[in-house]
Amino acid sequence: MLYDAMIAPPPEMSAGYDVCILGAGAAGVPLALKLADAGKRVVLLEGGGLETENRSQDLYYGDAELGYPYSPLEACRLRQLGGSTQHWGGRCAMLDPHDFEPRPDLGPEYDHRGWPIRIDALAPYAAPACAVLGLAEFDAPRRAIPGTETMERVLYRWSGAEPFAGVIDAQPVRMRERYSADLEAASHIDLILNANALGFALDPDQGRILGVRFQSYDGPVRSVAAARYVLALGGIENSRFLLNENAKHQNRLGNTSDMVGRCFGEHPHVRVGTYFVSKRPISWLPDVAEQVDTVLHRHKSEMIVGPTAAFMRANGVMNCGLRVQRLRNQALSEELAAASPLTKGLIFGEDYHYTGFLMAASEMAPDPNSRVRLIDEVDRFGLRRAGVDLKINPIEIKTKQLAAFEVAKMFIRTGIGRVWLEPWVLSGETPDLSFGNHHLGGCRMSETVETGVVDADCRVHGLENLYVAGSGVFSTGGAANPTFTVVQLALRLADHLCAR
């Protein structure tokens, strides 16, 4: 059932629920639906309404420039039913097996322990996550590229809410449009809109959450109780909420080691070069069967490659996705053609036939100094706002630089063409970076409270009945867009809560 806290909450909230979920986005919606299918009674509190509104979005304002300048916090996420799936691009990929493993070669300044789980823990949830997001199923995250031993093709899928109408124009699944009717019709779910969570009632002796207080924008403070609670507010907001709560409860909510908000990461994006193709390829794709798969499953026509696990470990770098962006049947710009002996004098249509850009998006090393903090300013409900103190380290630049070199070699070795590299790649200087708005870490999964916030089951260390869902629990970021893994983890958490 659907309710609006601006009008009235469900009439029997005092009876209690099996699970209370805070946040109805990429994690909260599939988690609620799966729990309800298993017969669990769920209350789903969403701070926003059906649409984005200024009064709700205002709660996301904060300081994005405590470290490396970051995206405005009110612009890089949406506070409404469906969360940030309402503006995502639909790009989905699986994490690689080596993303979960320890990386002691990265150096002592980073937390290199990896995840307390391995990829096989998420494997059973790959097909269900594809169903949630409207994807063709994955067969493997990587494929070999003939002619190179250092780079592999990374397999991506594209979420589609509508029947196939075009490779580029497929509409991604939006959680609000796709699942609001299911949420409203579910007899085991009470979805309450405009229900802004204010804080928990905590029994410190038992290590249990007893209830959560919430409020609409102009109504009284109310409370709801459940057997278990899940924070699914988004990567930054989960950290912000826990930091506010820990300030009131002597750091008893997973923060005895000051790890809440730490190891915050992103996928920094930057152009690394321009390629030109000396052949007349039908497609970037290596065979006809894969071309058919591309059309049927709504892939966008670009190739993404990444370094092999062996290359990463041998060179002390991290995972990186190099996007060989869509072919353009046009000449290099006059400025670029004259900028290098490599391109000067080449004739379009004879020496080369297609051009395109190379973009790099790599993971960040888990750095405890990169974090979500609280700033002094408070929102309309008295909660301190978030600040992002993002650290860009030399290893992030080295990762992109070496990956760019390997792609340039791949173009030569496979006979595809050549690559003109951006000057910063050759110099190793830090370029101007943009970001994918992927809010990773801050509530990272770990074996102990000394190294993270939640355990292998996403339960907050030291508390019996509080869990976290979403990209904030990622121990490492990998190079894959996080939404697919967020849904996998949410479905896995649903099974855990049912078993409990």
Side-chain angles (χ1 to χ4, degrees):
M1 300 294 290
L2 189 150
Y3 301 88
D4 190 332
M6 295 290 292
I7 302 171
E12 298 181 359
M13 293 177 61
S14 60
Y17 296 87
D18 294 305
V19 182
C20 174
I21 303 170
L22 280 62
V29 168
L31 174 61
L33 289 171
K34 186 169 183 179
L35 289 170
D37 286 344
K40 303 300 179 184
R41 191 171 179 226
V42 178
V43 58
L44 180 57
L45 303 181
E46 168 54 50
L50 291 175
E51 305 283 348
T52 302
E53 300 178 62
N54 289 337
R55 65 184 179 186
S56 181
Q57 205 66 18
D58 174 76
L59 300 175
Y60 276 170
Y61 276 86
D63 191 337
E65 299 191 1
L66 298 178
Y68 189 93
Y70 187 58
S71 308
L73 302 188
E74 74 282 3
C76 62
R77 53 217 172 118
L78 295 179
R79 197 171 190 274
Q80 65 170 101
L81 179 61
S84 295
T85 68
Q86 297 304 116
H87 68 182
W88 77 309
R91 187 189 298 268
C92 293
M94 301 176 71
L95 288 176
D96 296 303
H98 50 76
D99 290 329
F100 294 82
E101 298 170 357
R103 289 292 306 277
D105 55 294
L106 294 183
E109 62 269 39
Y110 308 115
D111 192 316
H112 50 68
R113 296 172 179 83
W115 294 60
I117 60 174
R118 294 293 179 264
I119 196 169
D120 57 355
L122 297 184
Y125 303 98
C130 288
V132 169
L133 295 171
L135 308 175
E137 291 187 20
F138 289 90
D139 47 9
R142 297 263 185 148
R143 294 177 184 173
I145 300 175
T148 176
E149 296 181 353
T150 60
M151 304 298 288
E152 298 170 315
R153 185 175 177 213
V154 182
L155 183 62
Y156 269 73
R157 299 293 195 198
W158 295 87
S159 172
E162 303 294 334
F164 173 68
V167 172
I168 295 176
D169 298 327
Q171 176 69 33
V173 164
R174 312 294 188 194
M175 290 288 171
R176 186 195 69 191
E177 286 83 355
R178 173 62 182 85
Y179 293 110
S180 59
D182 295 340
L183 292 167
E184 187 170 2
S187 60
H188 284 68
I189 297 176
D190 286 337
L191 167 60
I192 310 177
L193 301 176
N194 296 308
N196 300 281
L198 306 180
F200 290 128
L202 174 67
D203 182 343
D205 296 328
Q206 298 293 323
R208 288 183 58 83
I209 302 298
L210 302 178
V212 60
R213 295 176 295 110
F214 68 93
Q215 188 177 18
S216 66
Y217 294 93
D218 59 4
V221 175
R222 297 183 171 96
S223 62
V224 61
R228 291 175 179 81
Y229 301 80
V230 181
L231 286 177
L233 299 170
I236 294 174
E237 286 302 293
N238 282 340
S239 292
R240 177 194 174 212
F241 190 86
L242 283 177
L243 287 169
N244 272 285
E245 285 300 282
N246 276 295
K248 295 185 292 186
H249 296 294
Q250 293 75 51
N251 285 328
R252 291 189 175 98
L253 285 79
N255 203 35
T256 56
S257 299
D258 189 28
M259 284 301 295
V260 173
R262 292 189 181 272
C263 295
F264 177 78
E266 251 284 5
H267 288 131
H269 290 56
V270 68
R271 185 185 294 184
V272 300
T274 302
Y275 69 86
F276 54 97
V277 177
S278 54
K279 291 183 176 181
R280 291 183 179 271
I282 297 174
S283 168
W284 280 115
L285 306 175
D287 56 50
V288 174
E290 194 164 345
Q291 293 176 42
V292 172
D293 177 76
T294 293
V295 174
L296 291 178
H297 296 145
R298 297 187 294 270
H299 299 173
K300 292 188 179 180
S301 52
E302 67 179 12
M303 183 168 70
I304 302 174
V305 298
T308 64
F311 179 86
M312 290 181 227
R313 293 183 182 277
N315 291 277
V317 295
M318 301 173 299
N319 210 342
C320 181
L322 264 292
R323 296 176 183 172
V324 184
Q325 294 191 319
R326 287 180 287 281
L327 293 167
R328 300 177 304 161
N329 188 215
Q330 65 186 58
L332 296 167
S333 68
E334 292 184 6
E335 180 182 4
L336 181 58
S340 168
L342 177 67
T343 55
K344 190 174 183 179
L346 294 179
I347 300 174
F348 178 63
E350 295 183 18
D351 300 309
Y352 69 99
H353 306 278
Y354 296 91
T355 59
F357 297 123
L358 293 175
M359 298 292 295
S362 66
E363 68 177 324
M364 295 174 61
D367 181 357
N369 294 313
S370 188
R371 62 191 301 189
V372 176
R373 301 175 180 269
L374 296 181
I375 61 175
D376 292 335
E377 183 181 345
V378 299
D379 65 20
R380 66 185 294 164
F381 297 107
L383 300 180
R384 290 172 64 186
R385 295 185 183 272
V388 170
D389 187 355
L390 188 70
K391 306 298 184 187
I392 300 296
N393 293 301
I395 192 171
E396 278 97 51
I397 308 307
K398 179 183 176 183
T399 293
K400 293 178 176 63
Q401 183 186 38
L402 294 191
F405 289 154
E406 291 306 308
V407 170
K409 294 175 187 177
M410 182 193 79
F411 267 70
I412 296 172
R413 291 167 180 165
T414 58
I416 295 173
R418 297 292 189 271
V419 174
W420 179 86
L421 295 173
E422 295 285 338
W424 75 264
V425 176
L426 302 176
S427 69
E429 297 177 357
T430 300
D432 291 331
L433 301 170
S434 60
F435 300 94
N437 297 329
H438 305 157
H439 307 140
L440 312 171
C443 295
R444 70 193 308 256
M445 187 185 292
S446 65
E447 292 184 354
T448 67
V449 70
E450 288 75 26
T451 56
V453 179
V454 302
D455 66 13
D457 295 317
C458 295
R459 183 178 60 85
V460 174
H461 290 300
L463 289 177
E464 180 185 337
N465 65 340
L466 178 60
Y467 297 80
V468 178
S471 57
V473 307
F474 284 30
S475 303
T476 60
N481 293 51
T483 303
F484 185 78
T485 306
V486 166
V487 175
Q488 283 184 290
L489 285 165
L491 298 176
R492 179 175 179 264
L493 176 56
D495 279 349
H496 171 77
L497 293 173
C498 289
R500 292 289 296 264

